[in-house]
Structures are given as structure tokens and as C-alpha cells.
Amino acid sequence: MATVTFDMATRVFPSATRPAVDRLDLNIEDGEFLVLVGPSGCGKSTSLRMLAGLEFVNGGRIWIGDRDVTRLAPKERDIAMVFQNYALYPHMTVAENMGFALKMANVPKEERNRRVQEAARLLDMEDLLERKPAAMSGGQRQRVAMGRAIVREPKVFLMDEPLSNLDAKLRVSTRTQIAALQARLGITTVYVTHDQVEAMTLADRIVVMDKGVVQQIGTPAELYRTPANLFVAGFIGSPKMNFLAGEWGGAGQVRLKGGASLAVGEPPASVNGGELVLGVRPDGFAVTEPDAASLRGRIVLNEYLGRESYLHLDLEDGNTAVVEVSPDLHLSAGQSVGLTVKPGAAHLFATADQRRLAA
């Protein structure tokens, strides 16, 4: 096991107008499960490939433990990578696929078999060792790819969207298996995904990236409760946070562009008037009868999901909002409702630089 350090690591592709990864400064603890998340093109996969030695580092350094690996070949870095497409050899059995890298490294056959059997036991695949990939489901092939990484006993696991080829139900069960396996093995893991739900459920810490730049690093709870800026606030959480433009109206009020005012409690110390953006998560609104103290909206759709329902609203100021309500609250399309902000549920951001207004 080992720590991983990105020291101002930068990747610039030929003819690019900006770096794909811009001065990435990141310390990953020994045994940590760290997830890189963001939209397509944000630099998360490039960062992982730089660590793996598959992308050239134009500036800065990368360390695994106390070794500078910036210019080392991938095979010299003591890492194991699980790819999106699994890349299994179709003519080999599961056991042969899992042990192939060890065979190429001239690991004795007895030791190879021991490691393969141990990985198969961890992954509950002992009865599949003689099968070939064509006779297996997507989830089983994914576990073979995991097993191939485990048998190498690396210092660092690298996973590049390993669940993206699975259906929704299988993704849920497999990510649970990955989290449990990583906790059991204690191997430092860097995991890339565009799915913020995966990030929130798997990670010890999350790195949110956009346009090659780190937007925030923190635990899932920190990113959800105190997003550093509008981008993180809108990316973390499903359904996403509602944003309403306005200005500080004093007396604990935000005056919205449409004229309505909402009570949000005590202001952050950095609020001194001027324009701002009010962010409220779907569960941060309370639904009331429409009155002068509420923001009024008309229900477009009541989306029933069993444990909760989501109201999709057209607001009086021309914006839209999604609000979580109890499924026992029987509201239908066309009805008008009022919205107030629950205590502690308001997030305030500066309009100019989109940063969170600090308390």
C-alpha cells in the first residue's frame, strides 16, 4: 500500500487551447478510496491515466509512496488498472485471465494459482474459474477484471468507470461489492466516474473537477452540505439543487428577481448587499398554501417514486424548481402552491465569482 501525490501535475494535449489537467495538487492517503468526478471532458480520466503512466505529464510531478513515478513506464509503477471495457482475453478461462499478468512476470505457477484462488474466494467466483468470458454476464466479467487486478497485489488500484457497461440494478449491487472489497483489502484506490451517486456512495473523499481544474475536495458529506461554488452545488446531489437569482434584502431575506422575498435566516458574514444566488436542495423547501410570505409556483408534474415524490414547478418569477414532498401529500398538475425555505437549508453564492458566501 502507498500514498499518492500529484504535485502541480499538468497535461496539455497538442493543439489544445487549455490544459486537460491544470496544475493538479492532490494528496491521497494510504488505503484511501478517492473518487474523481465531473462531467465529460473535465480531466478526471486524464488525471488517472497520468498516474498510470498512460499520459505524458507536461509539468509537475507524480509520486507513489516515496518514489517519483513521473517518467516511469506503467509496468514499473506497481499499479493495477480496471478499465471500462474489462479487456478480457476471450480464448482464456477466468483463471487464465486472472493469472495472465503474473505468468508474464514469471511468477511461479504455484504462487500464481494461490493468488488466483484467493482472489476468486474474495470475489465469490470459485465456481467460475473454468468458464470463458463469452459464457458470463456483464457483472461476472467485471468481477474477473477486478480479480485480475487483485492478484497482482499492487500498491494502488486505478478504476476508470468500471461500472458504466452494467445495467442500473447491477451497478448498485456491484458498487457495494467494490466498496466492501476495497475496505477489506485496504489498498489505496483512485476511481473515476461521471456518476455523482457512485461517487457519493463509494468515496472516502471526492475530487470534483471541471475544465481540468479541481473545484473542491472533501468527504461526500462536506460536498453535499457545504459546496464551495455553484458548479459543485449543481453537480453533487440528485435531483440537483435549485438556483434562484436575487439580492440580499436585509432582515434575513433574499429578494428574488421576480419580486418575491424568501426568509433564509441569519446571513453569512460575507453578505454585504448586492446580487447573489440562492440555492435550495429539493428537500430544503417546505410546501405551503400560497401567500405573501412564500414563493408561488404551479405544479407541472408530480413524480411519484414510492418513498418520496418530486414536484416539478413553474415559479412565478419564470424559473423552475424541483421539490421533494411526502408521497402522502396528494397534489396534482395545475395546482398552485407556496414555497418557503426550511431552517438551515439556504445556500448563498456570490453572483460575480460563483463562490459560496462564507459564514
Side-chain angles (χ1 to χ4, degrees):
M1 297 186 289
T3 59
V4 173
T5 303
F6 290 85
D7 181 12
M8 305 297 282
T10 299
R11 175 61 173 135
V12 183
F13 290 113
S15 303
T17 57
R18 60 175 174 81
V21 177
D22 192 1
R23 295 173 293 178
L24 176 59
D25 214 9
L26 175 63
N27 295 308
I28 305 170
E29 298 297 326
D30 188 5
E32 184 174 19
F33 197 129
L34 183 120
V35 177
L36 298 169
V37 69
S40 297
C42 72
K44 57 187 185 295
S45 289
T46 302
S47 300
L48 191 79
R49 290 172 63 83
M50 291 163 68
L51 176 55
L54 302 176
E55 290 289 354
F56 182 76
V57 179
N58 298 96
R61 318 295 295 175
I62 298 177
W63 299 75
I64 296 178
D66 58 1
R67 295 174 69 216
D68 183 348
V69 301
T70 312
R71 297 289 177 257
L72 293 184
K75 66 180 180 180
E76 298 173 337
R77 299 191 181 205
D78 200 4
I79 54 98
M81 193 159 181
V82 179
F83 293 96
Q84 181 176 345
N85 62 5
Y86 314 142
L88 302 179
Y89 295 107
H91 62 286
M92 293 184 182
T93 65
V94 166
E96 290 167 341
N97 265 287
M98 290 170 63
F100 183 71
L102 301 180
K103 184 177 181 180
M104 292 298 98
N106 295 315
V107 174
K109 184 175 181 180
E110 183 176 329
E111 175 64 9
R112 291 202 312 267
N113 290 339
R114 183 194 69 78
R115 292 197 200 179
V116 168
Q117 289 291 337
E118 176 64 14
R121 184 184 65 78
L122 285 171
L123 294 165
D124 194 22
M125 296 182 61
E126 293 169 289
D127 58 340
L128 301 178
L129 289 175
E130 298 308 313
R131 288 196 192 180
K132 292 185 178 179
M136 304 175 73
S137 68
Q140 290 171 331
R141 289 196 293 269
Q142 194 274 343
R143 281 191 284 158
V144 176
M146 286 288 299
R148 185 175 53 192
I150 291 168
V151 298
R152 297 181 62 181
E153 298 179 354
K155 289 184 176 178
V156 183
F157 282 145
L158 307 181
M159 302 188 187
D160 191 5
E161 305 211 36
L163 307 185
S164 61
N165 287 336
L166 304 182
D167 63 50
K169 184 177 180 180
L170 196 53
R171 276 202 304 272
V172 172
S173 62
T174 306
R175 75 177 182 230
T176 302
Q177 293 169 353
I178 289 176
L181 183 64
Q182 194 275 339
R184 188 184 311 172
L185 296 175
I187 295 177
T188 307
T189 300
V190 185
Y191 186 106
V192 162
T193 181
H194 67 277
D195 185 336
Q196 56 94 17
V197 174
E198 263 181 47
M200 294 286 282
T201 53
L202 286 172
D204 295 322
R205 284 191 305 156
I206 298 172
V207 180
V208 182
M209 300 185 70
D210 184 41
K211 299 177 182 176
V213 177
V214 172
Q215 301 296 310
Q216 188 173 357
I217 303 172
T219 65
E222 288 169 344
L223 268 60
Y224 187 82
R225 294 172 183 164
T226 56
N229 55 38
L230 280 173
F231 178 82
V232 177
F235 192 83
I236 297 296
S238 179
K240 65 182 291 187
M241 185 181 288
N242 300 290
F243 296 121
L244 303 170
E247 60 183 7
W248 184 247
Q253 300 271 332
V254 171
R255 187 165 49 247
L256 302 177
K257 290 293 187 182
S261 290
L262 282 175
V264 297
E266 289 298 315
S270 52
V271 171
N272 55 5
E275 294 187 345
L276 53 75
V277 176
L278 168 63
V280 184
R281 295 201 182 277
D283 62 354
F285 278 122
V287 175
T288 69
E289 291 293 329
D291 57 30
S294 65
L295 173 63
R296 291 179 290 277
R298 185 180 62 83
I299 300 172
V300 177
L301 172 68
N302 187 343
E303 187 178 18
Y304 176 79
L305 296 177
R307 289 196 310 169
E308 68 276 316
S309 292
Y310 289 106
L311 302 181
H312 296 256
L313 303 172
D314 283 339
L315 303 179
E316 61 183 328
D317 63 355
N319 286 309
T320 60
V322 177
V323 178
E324 180 181 330
V325 296
S326 166
D328 298 325
L329 192 60
H330 299 294
L331 298 169
S332 57
Q335 280 186 255
S336 292
V337 296
L339 301 177
T340 59
V341 180
K342 295 178 181 177
H347 302 261
L348 300 180
F349 303 91
T351 300
D353 61 7
Q354 301 190 346
R355 295 287 176 182
R356 182 184 188 86
L357 294 172

